[in-house]
Amino acid sequence: MEKHNKGIHHITVLSGDPQRNADFYVKSLGMRLVKKSVNQDDPSTYHLFYGNANGSPGSGITFFPWPMARQGKPGLGEAVKVAFAVPSNSIDFWVEHFGGSDIDFDGPYDWFGQQAIGFKDPDRLQLELVFDEKVDEMPGWTKGTVPPEYGIRGFKGTTLRLQEHGSTAEILKSVFEFEESGQKDNAWLYTTDAPIGGSVIIEEGEPKLSANGRGTVHHVAFRAKDDEELDNLREKVIEMGFNPSDIIERHWFHSVYFQTPGGVLFEIATDGPGYDVDEDPDKLGEKLVLPPWLESKREMIEKRLPEIKL
Ligand code: ZN
């Protein structure tokens, strides 16, 4: 049987203005808008998905943009950073690109043995680019604003800030097949062998004032191969004493959510059917896509959404 890559499937974040969000991820970071849809729990707002050339699992950062959302402040019990993997030879390009785009950044600094730079999106979500030889051979997206040889290949990983690392580490190891592979000061690194999305850092910290709002991560989703594995992982989560949701049909994947003891909302999502189930792979993200059960309300939904120009 072919081995299935374990790791992060997607990460979902609250943002402010959708146009500003799309401008940043598509124009400044050169990612591909792979799906333009609506928040299935509030179809009067968008759900925007950015990914790599194919929108493959491990590459999707998705946003619920609320133009009126207040500024969030990440605290304890949250994913506080999202890191993207870029080819190891792209440092000079990105430093110059950010300089030319007026994007402030820190670094390059050491990221568990690799080089990285840190910066923020317009809603102050903490982002990193990790210069990662693991993705050097992966093709980039050829139609983006960043030359394909330097572009974002997908996630490197995410950093969770928690009061203690042990209980969430246990979930990463027992359910999602991560292994502890590094420790530095108050931070532990867990990895899988997935080329993208294979890292989670848990950073222990003190409680501090936080607020939900734009720029904060809503949940982190991990990959399941198919429906059968989703079922099995859900059972495992129950055996560990947690209380997962039923399986939810998300149209592009099937999902289970559960609250972790450290405070971060985790999701398990199947690799398939994928973002090309309802769009030509060459035309992903060009049109507003609705799940079938909202199609009858398309006219009303489209009227209420602000236009996004790219
Ligand atoms: Zn999700």
Side-chain angles (χ1 to χ4, degrees):
M1 216 171 74
E2 208 186 317
K3 193 178 174 318
H4 176 252
N5 282 323
K6 294 292 181 285
I8 295 168
H9 183 287
H10 66 270
I11 295 176
T12 295
V13 183
L14 308 176
S15 83
D17 184 68
Q19 179 68 56
R20 188 175 66 172
N21 179 261
D23 280 342
F24 185 78
Y25 285 91
V26 174
K27 291 186 186 161
S28 300
L29 296 189
M31 294 183 80
R32 183 177 186 190
L33 177 63
V34 292
K35 195 63 67 184
K36 183 162 66 172
S37 191
V38 293
N39 183 338
Q40 292 179 12
D41 300 318
D42 175 8
S44 69
T45 59
Y46 277 114
H47 191 184
L48 302 176
F49 300 67
Y50 308 98
N52 61 13
N54 311 312
S56 46
S59 78
I61 185 162
T62 94
F63 291 89
F64 292 130
W66 306 79
M68 307 303 281
R70 65 175 180 171
Q71 179 63 51
K73 231 188 190 165
L76 209 55
E78 290 182 63
V80 294
K81 267 185 216 169
V82 174
F84 296 109
V86 290
S88 57
N89 66 351
S90 65
I91 297 187
D92 293 347
F93 168 80
W94 283 103
V95 163
E96 199 169 304
H97 180 65
F98 281 0
S101 322
D102 280 327
I103 297 171
D104 289 334
F105 64 92
D106 302 322
Y109 51 80
D110 175 68
W111 197 103
F112 284 97
Q114 292 177 310
Q115 296 279 96
I117 55 177
F119 58 106
K120 287 179 182 165
D121 88 351
D123 295 302
R124 297 193 218 155
L125 173 67
Q126 283 275 3
L127 299 172
E128 296 177 297
L129 293 181
V130 179
F131 302 96
D132 184 3
E133 63 279 359
K134 244 170 129 179
V135 301
D136 284 352
E137 303 300 318
M138 267 178 85
W141 188 40
T142 53
K143 293 176 192 157
T145 57
V146 163
E149 63 269 36
Y150 304 133
I152 289 173
R153 300 313 198 241
F155 294 119
K156 176 67 181 178
T158 186
T159 299
L160 315 180
R161 190 181 295 141
L162 307 178
Q163 195 151 9
E164 60 82 30
H165 71 283
S167 53
T168 303
E170 200 45 51
I171 296 170
L172 291 174
K173 291 191 272 191
S174 307
V175 183
F176 300 121
E177 297 178 24
F178 281 75
E179 285 171 17
E180 186 175 325
S181 57
Q183 206 236 315
K184 206 171 82 180
D185 306 326
N186 61 336
W188 285 258
L189 172 68
Y190 302 89
T191 55
T192 70
D193 58 5
I196 51 173
S199 303
V200 174
I201 294 172
I202 300 181
E203 207 177 84
E204 288 188 349
E206 297 298 317
K208 63 175 190 179
L209 205 62
S210 67
N212 287 330
R214 59 191 170 88
T216 60
V217 172
H218 186 266
H219 62 264
V220 179
F222 295 89
R223 296 171 64 181
K225 184 173 61 168
D226 51 23
D227 288 332
E228 193 189 334
E229 191 176 65
L230 181 64
D231 256 340
N232 293 340
L233 297 183
R234 184 174 181 277
E235 285 305 315
K236 218 173 233 181
V237 167
I238 294 171
E239 278 165 28
M240 290 182 77
F242 306 118
N243 188 19
S245 71
D246 290 334
I247 292 173
I248 297 173
E249 159 71 66
R250 288 300 187 202
H251 190 46
W252 307 290
F253 39 81
H254 306 139
S255 295
V256 164
Y257 299 83
F258 66 104
Q259 196 70 49
T260 60
V264 183
L265 181 63
F266 276 4
E267 175 183 346
I268 313 171
T270 52
D271 275 3
Y275 299 129
D276 57 0
V277 68
D278 51 13
E279 278 184 299
D280 183 328
D282 292 332
K283 296 188 185 306
L284 294 181
E286 290 179 12
K287 282 193 316 216
L288 180 73
V289 173
L290 299 175
W293 58 93
L294 288 173
E295 202 48 68
S296 64
K297 296 183 179 140
R298 174 176 285 273
E299 203 183 333
M300 193 183 75
I301 288 172
E302 282 185 339
K303 233 190 266 171
R304 291 166 71 174
L305 288 168
E307 198 188 343
I308 295 176
K309 291 200 188 92
L310 284 170

